[in-house]
Amino acid sequence: MTPESVKAVRRLKELRGVIAGWRQAGESIALVPTMGALHEGHLALVKLARRKARCTVVSIFVNPLQFAPHEDFSRYPREEAADRAKLAEIGCDLVWAPEATSMYGEGFATRVEPGGAALGLEGDFRPHFFAGVATVCLKLFHQTMPDFAVFGEKDYQQLCVIRQLVRDLDLPLKIVSVPTVRDADGLALSSRNVYLSPRERAVAPALFRTLEDVVARVGSGESSIDATLTGRRMLERAGFTKVDYIEVRHAETLAPYVPGEPGRVLAAAWLGKTRLIDNVPLGPT
Ligand code: AMP
């Protein structure tokens, strides 16, 4: 019989005890970092984690360091009991759910400042975001000592930044990624989709359709500049209230796109108060 809920640990000392026990028993460990409000996209990451390692830890932590003061930190959905029940259904060994005050104790003053893949795109619109993400991920990696950490392609630039962090700082773990899980109409699953009104939800799939249109245009020889300009107009016409960016980049470095090389089309756009991001592959992978 499967348990109805996965055990949650909130204190680092307790977590370290569990991890040390697993290590002594020679078990491998996979970590899935999340901010909770889990959906099928997150669960796809957990399923891969379970195939990679004997023990799976899912962290649930709404990281204050990656939100600007005007962003949605306080209204971000928090549903830990439901999350732990979903995790019990698919199998997960432990939820690591630290309190913000123990993650960032009195006097906390150290940040990881990623460059490279963190520059531009999200970095232009959310200047403190990747320092917040890199800092919390480095802490989570040290806390859980995983052999693998699993991230979604949904947050593609974040995935590139984490790969770079692991490479640059010689962290002893492997990053594995999972393709974006979408609703039937193409909208990428996101914990923030609950913010959308029915009208906005009806417009939202135009983001994925537009990215696919840019891929088709570049594939048939249009320049990436022209294709993304058309993409921007498509999003505005569909009802997006503001387009932060729509760009084609190199798939690994996120440097400017060179035709013939593996690319990625990435976009961020607003529907009222909700900001959606999405991306799709372009060309050889
Ligand atoms: P979040 O809780 O939104 O910070 O996301 C935690 C992890 O789940 C990140 O690695 C995300 O990229 C991944 N993720 C979120 N949504 C999806 C999705 N629709 N498909 C695949 N992975 C996702």
Side-chain angles (χ1 to χ4, degrees):
M1 221 175 76
T2 51
E4 282 173 10
S5 179
V6 173
K7 179 181 158 69
V9 167
R10 300 186 199 284
R11 299 174 64 91
L12 185 55
K13 197 166 169 219
E14 189 184 350
L15 177 77
R16 292 221 151 114
V18 176
I19 301 287
W22 287 344
R23 285 281 169 222
Q24 265 158 25
E27 307 288 25
S28 53
I29 300 170
L31 168 70
V32 182
T34 82
M35 298 204 298
L38 302 182
H39 50 63
E40 286 299 325
H42 296 112
L43 300 186
L45 270 54
V46 180
K47 287 175 192 163
L48 178 63
R50 282 175 49 82
R51 291 205 299 277
K52 286 280 172 194
R54 286 288 294 272
C55 301
T56 300
V57 180
V58 172
S59 62
I60 298 181
F61 181 64
V62 185
N63 176 31
L65 221 57
Q66 69 191 64
F67 288 79
H70 63 277
E71 291 181 341
D72 58 343
F73 176 72
S74 54
R75 71 170 181 144
Y76 196 86
R78 289 161 171 87
E79 309 166 357
E80 192 193 295
D83 290 345
R84 286 165 56 194
K86 287 176 192 168
L87 291 172
E89 235 171 77
I90 62 164
C92 166
D93 298 285
L94 196 75
V95 164
W96 168 227
E99 301 290 344
T101 46
S102 69
M103 200 65 159
Y104 303 119
E106 182 89 27
F108 178 88
T110 304
R111 296 277 190 291
V112 180
E113 282 286 351
L119 304 178
L121 305 169
E122 290 298 293
D124 284 344
F125 291 88
R126 305 181 71 190
H128 306 294
F129 177 67
F130 285 123
V133 168
T135 303
V136 81
C137 284
L138 185 62
K139 282 182 68 98
L140 290 168
F141 295 160
H142 284 314
Q143 291 163 347
T144 56
M145 314 275 276
D147 302 281
F148 301 93
V150 188
F151 288 83
E153 289 183 4
K154 160 74 170 54
D155 301 278
Y156 193 79
Q157 188 178 11
Q158 170 176 283
L159 171 63
C160 296
V161 169
I162 297 297
R163 285 193 194 284
Q164 179 185 284
L165 174 81
V166 166
R167 227 174 25 243
D168 288 355
L169 301 186
D170 307 312
L171 305 182
L173 74 155
K174 282 205 174 63
I175 301 300
V176 284
S177 63
V178 173
T180 303
V181 178
R182 299 177 182 281
D183 264 337
D185 60 9
L187 176 64
L189 299 188
S190 164
S191 307
R192 290 189 166 99
N193 290 352
V194 296
Y195 301 156
L196 297 171
S197 70
R199 224 199 107 261
E200 291 165 344
R201 176 63 188 79
V203 173
L207 181 55
F208 177 57
R209 283 201 302 276
T210 300
L211 293 171
E212 292 281 80
D213 184 75
V214 171
V215 170
R217 283 170 188 278
V218 175
S220 62
E222 201 170 309
S223 77
S224 56
I225 302 284
D226 286 347
T228 47
L229 268 176
T230 305
R232 181 177 282 270
R233 268 184 243 118
M234 279 176 71
L235 289 173
E236 286 162 358
R237 235 176 277 137
F240 279 86
T241 39
K242 184 164 167 273
V243 179
D244 278 352
Y245 61 83
I246 174 162
E247 286 191 37
V248 187
R249 293 291 184 97
H250 188 282
E252 276 141 45
T253 60
L254 299 184
Y257 175 66
V258 177
E261 292 196 349
R264 203 86 192 180
V265 191
L266 307 103
W270 291 84
L271 278 171
K273 290 197 167 98
T274 306
R275 185 173 185 270
L276 300 182
I277 61 169
D278 201 352
N279 67 89
V280 294
L282 187 160
T285 47

